[in-house]
Amino acid sequence: MTESTINEAQESQRTLRVISYGGGVQSTALLVLSAAGRIDFPTFLFSNIGDDSENPAPLQYIRHVAVPFARSSMD
């Protein structure tokens, strides 16, 4: 193996594959695909800028549907 090949292999081992989860249709579809093993993105991040700043409906959906689904798919 060349030094370049070794560096590429080491770099690929450090790659973090993350989805920015917004709670909408597209990011929820990606969550389902990840749970089914169809895509290799094991980490989903959601940032709540404040319950008083976000629409309450998506926050409720995330808390009651997306989070339990994501947890159950980890088992």
Side-chain angles (χ1 to χ4, degrees):
M1 289 173 77
T2 67
E3 185 175 339
S4 175
T5 305
I6 292 170
N7 288 339
E8 288 175 19
Q10 290 171 340
E11 186 63 34
S12 70
Q13 291 174 355
R14 290 186 288 223
T15 301
L16 182 60
R17 299 178 61 84
V18 178
I19 297 286
S20 174
Y21 184 80
V25 173
Q26 292 87 356
S27 55
T28 299
L30 290 170
L31 179 64
V32 171
L33 289 171
S34 178
R38 302 281 307 271
I39 60 172
D40 182 24
F41 285 86
T43 304
F44 284 69
L45 296 177
F46 174 76
S47 179
N48 180 357
I49 59 171
D51 286 348
D52 61 339
S53 300
E54 297 278 357
N55 182 333
L59 293 176
Q60 184 176 13
Y61 175 81
I62 290 167
R63 285 187 187 112
H64 297 287
V65 177
V67 170
F69 177 78
R71 284 188 180 138
S72 70
S73 69
M74 293 172 52
D75 296 334

